[in-house]
Amino acid sequence: MEILKGACIIGQSGGPTSVINASAQGAIEAALKAGCITKVYGAAHGIRGVLDEVLYDMGAEDPAEIARMKNTPSSALGSCRYKLKDPDADDTDYKRILEVFKKYDVRYFFYNGGNDSMDTCNKISKFMLKNGYACRVMGIPKTIDNDLFGTDHCPGYGSAARYIATTSMEIYQDARVYDTGMITVLEIMGRHAGWLTAASAIATHFGAGPDLIYLPEVPFDLDKFYADVEKIYRKNGKCIVAVSEGIADKDGKLMVEKFAEGADVARDSFGHAQLGGIGITLANMLKAKFGCKTRGIEFSLMQRCAAHCASGNDIAESYAAGKAAVDFAVSGITDKMVGFKCDRSNGYKCEIELLDLALVANTEKKIPAEWINAEGNGLTDAYVDYALPLIQGDPQMPYENGLPRFARLKKINICK
Amino acid sequence: MEILKGACIIGQSGGPTSVINASAQGAIEAALKAGCITKVYGAAHGIRGVLDEVLYDMGAEDPAEIARMKNTPSSALGSCRYKLKDPDADDTDYKRILEVFKKYDVRYFFYNGGNDSMDTCNKISKFMLKNGYACRVMGIPKTIDNDLFGTDHCPGYGSAARYIATTSMEIYQDARVYDTGMITVLEIMGRHAGWLTAASAIATHFGAGPDLIYLPEVPFDLDKFYADVEKIYRKNGKCIVAVSEGIADKDGKLMVEKFAEGADVARDSFGHAQLGGIGITLANMLKAKFGCKTRGIEFSLMQRCAAHCASGNDIAESYAAGKAAVDFAVSGITDKMVGFKCDRSNGYKCEIELLDLALVANTEKKIPAEWINAEGNGLTDAYVDYALPLIQGDPQMPYENGLPRFARLKKINICK
């Protein structure tokens, strides 16, 4: 093993999750302990913090506050959606990153994010290699969307899935309480892959979830949808539907956009657009169609930030992923993303495996066709078997005054 | 004490809460133990179950499932929104209720609900008294709205407040994560009283809540609202606003209706209304006004059914209220609602007190003007001092397969 001595930067990027800070904590704590890592910097708002030289001294933080990152949702260091250009077309940003790395003697770079972030991480890794700058670059996955290629699942997914299944179960109790007809439409995140919406099927599996589930993987047909809902509603007087925000027709056109088309009229008396999302839209359409009470419910940001309802397994695995990235880098590995390899044949075992950054960047993983039922409106038990271990375990949330006690970092900028 | 021997009926009514079943459990367990209560019936869908003779034998339920009602949201026996007529105008329903009471020898009637339910309870009580039918009638309060007169607070409020404060804190983390401008509007329940929306101020008190809070108690002025938001947004680049669904202008007209006026145009290409609620509407208006990213988030049903986030104090008090109703009735009391009298001068003490049904029925309690700040866009510390004890305590939720394990009642109908 070749010892590489120098500072490290940890950055967070993309949409927040309940557990992205658990990964950051795993990486920060491991880096602070590593003898060859001289300084541990947190980049403010991901790669933007590197470009703008806003780097926090993580060694100056109270270790007790760093420990609380495990239960603090969203990205404690700040996030960004900045996309690096193709270095062959424009390498300005890369040159700037190299300049900053050199200035602060950065020899380790850990980037914590989803698809786009792994692309950023991959491009930086390749640029450093090409320019002969000794630097170990590791990706730490994170996305509630669960759509990263090569890994069994993504840190963040289990907690979002637990929130969605729990909330679906609670709404099931609520939405069936009156002796009158009622159709409820749950809108769940997921533009291209239905992993999040699928999680509502876990509630259904245990007898208290949506009757019908529509994913972006299956082309949405409005007539079929009406027929599906009518069948359940006529039988039970109630119907709960879960739809992915990304449901699209057979040509790939998003339903929410399709419904809004020609709706230049969809403005209030002040001339402002008053459009709801696909859940509210479908609820209103079902009301017009069946004349019963309907309600559209959007799980909105809660599904990605409800840390009080996070999965204990997800927290532990996210932490382990962050720690592993540092430990592997220190041992000489570079240009990889940390992934999970799981065995469900005899209980549930989850092991760390390393994947080539180039392989995972920009590849999307969708729900396998065989996990979707024949009608295209629900999930099979194979999905539940896959997802159930991921939502297990209490988050062990620390409380103060009856409310979650989140980490309070000082975030002292060492630059300039 | 005069011993009155006979059966009892317990009914649930109005909008569900996370803890209405804790009250029902308290009443059912006490009634099953009371020597003078011969049978314990649960009315299906409140008073409708009495009128339609759908009564469940609670003695036939597994005690372990009854015990799980403590953590099961919504109304396990079913709810209704049926309003009894004025008995002087039409006493058909009352005669029918008396007929059913006589048929099943019902001598105790416990009704668990909010304002309208206390009105129902009061009318039944008075009818039985007038007709000389020996029957003890007690109201058990329940409403997330916290607007019942005479009691310090209502069972159900603490849990909804805890959900709202917790979720506001989590969204605070999420909505501030990017280095770009963002305005977030939270829409919280409460048509006439701002108690629920006020709960977001607890998060603000601890440094992680909405910047601005608008209640139905303060006439809403759009220009003032824009100016308030602009001030915060220009300073911080972010702004989080909480609005009550019931905010209304100085003439009492609901803002959501006012904005939709003349919006016969607010339809999609299929001709269906696509209106969002006031939160989404204001978010869209702010986007048009300030040109930044905005997001409207409706806490929807989750605020009244998120039992996994319920307040331990609220669960215990709700249970105690149900138990007290039965214990007092058995001891000879009738025609009362169970209320809470609280002392916050040295810690928090909550005692049961009895209130006349006639007094509480149909009287609404709003937030005292002195608890609202001078600007009319926030709460004072006096509110936080009032509310904080109500959100304390872990719900002690039983989990199975990583998900809440709710009660599963057999609900065996003894009638016909």
Side-chain angles (χ1 to χ4, degrees):
Chain A
M1 174 181 117
E2 192 198 344
I3 292 173
L4 180 65
K5 210 169 166 119
C8 85
I9 288 178
I10 294 160
Q12 300 177 304
S13 170
T17 79
S18 284
V19 297
I20 183 167
N21 287 325
S23 287
Q25 182 197 343
I28 291 165
E29 289 183 351
L32 286 169
K33 271 187 208 150
C36 59
I37 296 182
T38 51
K39 281 281 182 187
V40 181
Y41 300 129
H45 299 290
I47 199 63
R48 286 238 49 106
V50 180
L51 294 166
D52 300 342
E53 274 189 77
V54 186
L55 301 175
Y56 305 131
D57 180 3
M58 302 316 293
E61 299 290 343
D62 178 352
E65 294 301 331
I66 291 180
R68 289 192 180 103
M69 290 174 73
K70 199 170 267 184
N71 296 101
T72 304
S74 190
S75 309
L77 303 171
S79 184
C80 68
R81 291 229 183 249
Y82 188 77
K83 204 166 163 70
L84 292 183
K85 293 199 178 71
D86 183 338
D88 293 333
D90 180 354
D91 65 356
T92 319
D93 281 346
Y94 300 89
K95 283 181 176 160
R96 171 67 182 147
I97 292 167
L98 181 55
E99 183 182 53
V100 173
F101 277 18
K102 282 181 178 168
K103 181 170 173 187
Y104 297 96
D105 190 29
V106 172
R107 298 290 171 178
Y108 295 90
F109 181 67
F110 304 102
Y111 212 48
N112 192 187
N115 262 312
D116 289 342
S117 310
M118 290 308 119
D119 180 56
T120 297
C121 194
N122 181 44
K123 283 172 177 161
I124 293 171
S125 180
K126 300 301 184 290
F127 186 83
M128 298 299 159
L129 281 169
K130 197 175 153 191
N131 285 271
Y133 181 77
C135 182
R136 294 178 189 157
V137 178
M138 299 286 282
I140 308 167
K142 158 296 332 171
T143 171
I144 58 166
D145 292 328
N146 203 39
D147 58 354
L148 275 172
F149 181 79
T151 179
D152 177 270
H153 60 280
C154 300
Y157 178 62
S159 294
R162 184 174 158 116
Y163 174 86
I164 290 162
T166 300
T167 304
S168 296
M169 270 194 163
E170 290 171 338
I171 287 174
Y172 177 92
Q173 306 295 326
D174 191 299
R176 303 169 57 86
V177 77
Y178 293 111
D179 50 354
T180 45
M182 175 81 175
I183 301 173
T184 308
V185 183
L186 312 178
E187 177 183 333
I188 302 174
M189 283 182 175
R191 281 260 144 180
H192 308 294
W195 294 103
L196 288 167
T197 307
S200 65
I202 308 172
T204 307
H205 180 81
F206 292 110
D211 302 289
L212 300 163
I213 300 172
Y214 299 91
L215 311 175
E217 281 84 352
V218 181
F220 188 84
D221 179 295
L222 188 60
D223 292 330
K224 170 77 163 59
F225 171 77
Y226 279 145
D228 287 353
V229 172
E230 184 164 20
K231 202 170 142 190
I232 304 276
Y233 179 66
R234 296 287 173 225
K235 191 178 149 206
N236 304 332
K238 319 270 176 215
C239 183
I240 302 178
V241 181
V243 295
S244 190
E245 60 175 341
I247 49 168
D249 69 12
K250 60 180 170 31
D251 302 318
K253 183 158 188 82
L254 281 177
M255 294 312 293
V256 70
E257 286 177 5
K258 192 166 174 170
F259 292 142
E261 241 167 41
D264 56 344
V265 289
R267 306 200 166 264
D268 65 20
S269 55
F270 287 72
H272 308 297
Q274 250 193 327
L275 293 179
I278 186 68
I280 287 169
T281 300
L282 285 174
N284 286 333
M285 289 167 70
L286 289 167
K287 187 179 184 169
K289 181 98 179 161
F290 298 116
C292 68
K293 199 178 166 187
T294 66
R295 192 187 277 266
I297 300 176
E298 195 184 340
F299 286 178
S300 193
L301 294 188
M302 288 81 91
Q303 65 202 296
R304 74 181 193 194
C305 72
H308 75 273
C309 188
S311 145
N313 274 5
D314 190 24
I315 294 174
E317 290 174 359
S318 300
Y319 181 91
K323 183 180 184 305
V326 172
D327 291 345
F328 277 115
V330 164
S331 79
I333 305 284
T334 187
D335 201 36
K336 301 280 184 188
M337 183 189 86
V338 172
F340 297 140
K341 195 178 168 178
C342 299
D343 181 355
R344 292 172 178 79
S345 59
N346 187 16
Y348 169 72
K349 265 181 231 138
C350 177
E351 282 175 12
I352 301 280
E353 66 171 348
L354 297 178
L355 302 157
D356 286 343
L357 271 175
L359 199 72
V360 289
N362 296 313
T363 319
E364 246 175 13
K365 189 179 69 175
K366 302 207 174 189
I367 297 196
E370 62 269 26
W371 290 3
I372 300 170
N373 71 7
E375 287 281 311
N377 59 18
L379 281 293
T380 67
D381 282 350
Y383 165 75
V384 177
D385 293 341
Y386 162 82
L388 201 53
L390 313 182
I391 68 162
Q392 302 302 308
D394 189 276
Q396 308 283 345
M397 174 65 78
Y399 282 91
E400 200 174 271
N401 297 304
L403 294 170
R405 167 65 164 87
F406 297 140
R408 292 173 199 142
L409 301 181
K410 287 180 275 189
K411 299 208 249 188
I412 298 164
N413 181 13
I414 57 108
C415 305
K416 292 165 197 174
Chain B
M1 173 180 119
E2 194 199 341
I3 292 172
L4 180 65
K5 210 169 166 120
C8 84
I9 288 178
I10 295 160
Q12 299 178 305
S13 169
T17 80
S18 284
V19 297
I20 184 167
N21 287 326
S23 287
Q25 183 197 343
I28 290 165
E29 289 182 351
L32 287 170
K33 271 186 208 151
C36 59
I37 295 181
T38 51
K39 280 281 180 188
V40 181
Y41 300 129
H45 299 290
I47 199 64
R48 286 238 49 108
V50 181
L51 294 166
D52 301 341
E53 274 189 79
V54 186
L55 301 175
Y56 305 131
D57 180 3
M58 302 316 294
E61 298 290 343
D62 178 351
E65 294 301 331
I66 290 180
R68 288 192 181 103
M69 290 175 72
K70 199 170 268 183
N71 295 101
T72 304
S74 189
S75 309
L77 303 171
S79 185
C80 67
R81 291 230 184 247
Y82 187 77
K83 204 166 162 69
L84 292 183
K85 293 200 180 71
D86 182 338
D88 294 332
D90 180 354
D91 63 357
T92 319
D93 281 346
Y94 299 89
K95 282 181 177 160
R96 169 68 182 147
I97 293 167
L98 181 55
E99 183 183 55
V100 173
F101 277 18
K102 282 182 178 167
K103 180 170 173 186
Y104 297 96
D105 190 29
V106 173
R107 298 291 172 177
Y108 295 90
F109 182 67
F110 304 102
Y111 212 48
N112 192 187
N115 262 311
D116 290 342
S117 311
M118 290 308 119
D119 180 56
T120 298
C121 195
N122 181 44
K123 283 173 177 160
I124 292 171
S125 180
K126 299 302 184 288
F127 186 83
M128 297 299 160
L129 280 169
K130 198 176 152 190
N131 285 270
Y133 180 77
C135 182
R136 294 179 189 156
V137 178
M138 298 286 282
I140 307 166
K142 161 286 345 169
T143 171
I144 59 167
D145 292 329
N146 203 38
D147 58 353
L148 276 171
F149 181 78
T151 180
D152 178 90
H153 61 280
C154 299
Y157 177 62
S159 294
R162 184 174 158 116
Y163 174 85
I164 290 162
T166 300
T167 305
S168 295
M169 271 194 163
E170 289 171 338
I171 287 174
Y172 177 92
Q173 306 295 326
D174 190 301
R176 303 168 57 85
V177 78
Y178 292 111
D179 51 352
T180 46
M182 175 81 175
I183 301 173
T184 309
V185 184
L186 312 178
E187 177 183 332
I188 302 175
M189 282 183 176
R191 281 262 143 179
H192 308 293
W195 293 104
L196 288 167
T197 307
S200 66
I202 308 172
T204 307
H205 180 80
F206 292 109
D211 302 289
L212 300 163
I213 300 171
Y214 298 91
L215 311 175
E217 281 84 353
V218 181
F220 188 83
D221 180 294
L222 187 61
D223 292 330
K224 169 76 163 63
F225 170 77
Y226 279 145
D228 287 352
V229 172
E230 184 163 21
K231 203 170 141 187
I232 304 276
Y233 178 67
R234 296 290 172 223
K235 193 179 149 205
N236 304 332
K238 319 270 176 214
C239 184
I240 302 178
V241 182
V243 296
S244 189
E245 61 176 340
I247 50 167
D249 69 12
K250 60 181 170 34
D251 302 319
K253 183 159 188 82
L254 282 177
M255 295 311 293
V256 71
E257 286 177 6
K258 193 167 173 170
F259 291 142
E261 241 167 41
D264 57 341
V265 289
R267 307 198 166 268
D268 65 22
S269 55
F270 287 70
H272 308 297
Q274 249 194 329
L275 292 179
I278 186 68
I280 287 168
T281 301
L282 285 174
N284 286 333
M285 290 167 70
L286 288 167
K287 186 179 187 169
K289 181 98 180 162
F290 298 116
C292 67
K293 199 177 168 190
T294 66
R295 193 187 275 266
I297 300 175
E298 195 184 340
F299 285 179
S300 194
L301 294 189
M302 288 80 92
Q303 64 201 295
R304 75 180 192 195
C305 72
H308 76 273
C309 189
S311 145
N313 274 5
D314 190 24
I315 293 173
E317 290 174 0
S318 300
Y319 181 92
K323 182 179 185 305
V326 172
D327 291 346
F328 276 115
V330 164
S331 79
I333 305 283
T334 186
D335 201 36
K336 300 281 182 187
M337 184 189 85
V338 172
F340 297 139
K341 194 177 169 179
C342 299
D343 181 354
R344 292 172 178 79
S345 59
N346 187 15
Y348 170 72
K349 267 182 229 136
C350 178
E351 283 174 10
I352 300 281
E353 67 171 347
L354 297 177
L355 302 158
D356 286 343
L357 271 175
L359 198 72
V360 289
N362 296 313
T363 319
E364 244 174 15
K365 189 178 68 173
K366 303 207 173 188
I367 297 195
E370 62 270 26
W371 290 4
I372 300 170
N373 71 7
E375 288 281 309
N377 58 19
L379 280 294
T380 67
D381 282 350
Y383 165 75
V384 177
D385 293 341
Y386 162 82
L388 201 53
L390 313 182
I391 67 162
Q392 302 303 309
D394 188 277
Q396 309 283 343
M397 174 65 77
Y399 283 91
E400 200 174 88
N401 297 304
L403 294 171
R405 168 64 163 87
F406 296 140
R408 293 174 198 142
L409 301 181
K410 287 180 275 189
K411 299 208 249 190
I412 298 163
N413 181 12
I414 56 108
C415 304
K416 290 164 198 175

